[in-house]
């Protein structure tokens, strides 16, 4: 993913913050019920499908999760870029 809108040395700090926020999201109260429902559905599918179908379902789920992670990461970095752009414009307007 291209995110070279700042020096390379800044990437680890941004990535650490991204993962901190991701951990916070995983503990959100609003996600507990949907997570529980997903676990129940997964258990039912494992009981009702043959092993090959379960494997295919897990690959499908992995692909969706990966795609969603890439989308969230892109949005995170886009938000950083937008925030920095707004901050720069604000600072420039205050200098006038």
């Amino acid at each position: 993913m291209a995110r070279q809108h700042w020096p390379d040395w800044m990437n680890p700090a941004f990535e650490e913050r991204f993962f901190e926020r991701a951990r916070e999201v995983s503990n959100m109260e609003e996600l507990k019920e949907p997570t529980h429902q997903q676990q129940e559905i997964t258990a039912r599918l494992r009981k009702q499908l043959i092993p090959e179908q379960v494997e295919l379902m897990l690959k499908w789920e992995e692909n969706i999760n990966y795609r969603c992670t890439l989308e969230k990461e892109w949005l995170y970095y886009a938000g950083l870029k937008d925030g920095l752009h707004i901050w720069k414009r604000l600072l420039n307007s205050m200098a006038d």
Side-chain angles (χ1 to χ4, degrees):
M1 173 174 298
R3 48 184 158 192
Q4 295 301 316
H5 303 288
W6 42 72
D8 287 340
W9 59 264
M10 293 178 76
N11 284 337
F14 289 150
E15 288 175 3
E16 177 61 30
R17 186 64 178 147
F18 175 82
F19 292 124
E20 284 176 20
R21 301 300 281 177
R23 283 189 295 274
E24 289 176 26
V25 167
S26 69
N27 292 320
M28 287 177 52
E29 188 66 34
E30 296 91 335
L31 294 179
K32 288 185 179 178
E33 182 59 28
T35 299
H36 179 70
Q37 290 174 354
Q38 182 181 3
Q39 291 168 342
E40 287 181 345
I41 292 168
T42 300
R44 287 176 47 206
L45 285 169
R46 284 181 182 272
K47 288 179 183 176
Q48 295 178 13
L49 299 175
I50 61 173
E52 291 82 9
Q53 291 171 322
V54 171
E55 186 64 31
L56 184 60
M57 180 199 67
L58 291 175
K59 287 180 182 179
W60 177 75
E61 182 181 38
E62 181 181 348
N63 183 271
I64 289 172
N65 289 337
Y66 180 69
R67 191 194 77 228
C68 288
T69 297
L70 291 177
E71 290 170 357
K72 289 175 188 174
E73 187 176 275
W74 185 91
L75 288 168
Y76 176 78
Y77 283 103
L80 282 172
K81 180 182 170 188
D82 292 347
L84 290 171
H85 181 72
I86 291 168
W87 185 42
K88 180 181 174 184
R89 294 191 80 184
L90 179 63
L91 290 175
N92 287 341
S93 71
M94 292 171 57
D96 294 337

